[in-house]
Amino acid sequence: MTAEATAPGPRARAYHEYLAAEGYRPQFDGDGDVEFKAEGFYLCCFANEDDPQYLYLAAPNVWALEDAGERTQALDIAMHLQMLYKGLKVVVLSDTVWMSYQGFLEDEAAFRGVLGRVIDLLLTGVRDFHRRMREETLPAEEHSGVQA
């Protein structure tokens, strides 16, 4: 850690310990939050030390937006995915897309019972978003149904 880094608090350390036990290789970022990769995607568990019953897991920068047309397409897909998947939030910014789950837990230890499901939710959402964005940008002849 650098001198400017924030030391991880008890909530972040609990996330780190849980993720390591589940086979991930979590690391603390400079803000004391926990980042890790799952199925090739980068995820971050933001530890709110002041509210240990709040769970916030994000998949940042899941898609870089090239232009206004792609941004419009991403907004349409985001709205659809948020209706399709319970708890998924899709945020379309000016040049990138983020996905997240934010929710309240019964108690501060309850994250252990839901974090695996939340990771699966985000990974499913990211894969579905990528698939839909690619399908929308393929030339018509590539929609023939023939798979490579």
Side-chain angles (χ1 to χ4, degrees):
M1 271 197 237
T2 65
E4 299 171 10
T6 301
R11 173 94 338 229
R13 288 193 302 274
Y15 291 154
H16 187 280
E17 181 181 298
Y18 172 85
L19 291 165
E22 292 295 311
Y24 297 102
R25 291 191 262 175
Q27 299 179 340
F28 295 109
D29 69 8
D31 294 326
D33 297 309
V34 182
E35 56 188 30
F36 62 101
K37 275 193 164 182
E39 297 182 18
F41 296 105
Y42 168 77
L43 302 176
C44 186
C45 203
F46 295 96
N48 188 325
E49 299 296 341
D50 295 329
D51 190 356
Q53 291 176 273
Y54 175 66
L55 178 62
Y56 178 17
L57 182 70
N61 304 313
V62 300
W63 190 275
L65 299 170
E66 301 289 326
D67 56 37
E70 195 172 63
R71 185 174 188 282
T72 299
Q73 176 186 344
L75 284 166
D76 289 343
I77 293 170
M79 291 286 106
H80 180 75
L81 293 182
Q82 289 178 135
M83 289 183 346
L84 187 61
Y85 298 112
K86 293 181 235 171
L88 183 69
K89 290 186 178 185
V90 185
V91 178
V92 179
L93 303 169
S94 60
D95 62 350
T96 191
V97 176
W98 281 48
M99 290 192 189
S100 69
Y101 170 86
Q102 298 175 50
F104 296 106
L105 304 169
E106 183 177 333
D107 59 53
E108 60 186 78
F111 77 88
R112 290 175 177 84
V114 298
L115 193 53
R117 184 173 179 185
V118 171
I119 292 169
D120 288 344
L121 168 72
L122 286 179
L123 294 175
T124 299
V126 170
R127 285 190 303 268
D128 197 0
F129 184 87
H130 278 245
R131 181 184 60 79
R132 291 170 189 273
M133 287 295 287
R134 284 192 305 271
E135 285 178 357
E136 293 294 321
T137 59
L138 293 176
E141 62 271 7
E142 293 185 37
H143 286 286
S144 65
V146 177
Q147 300 207 4

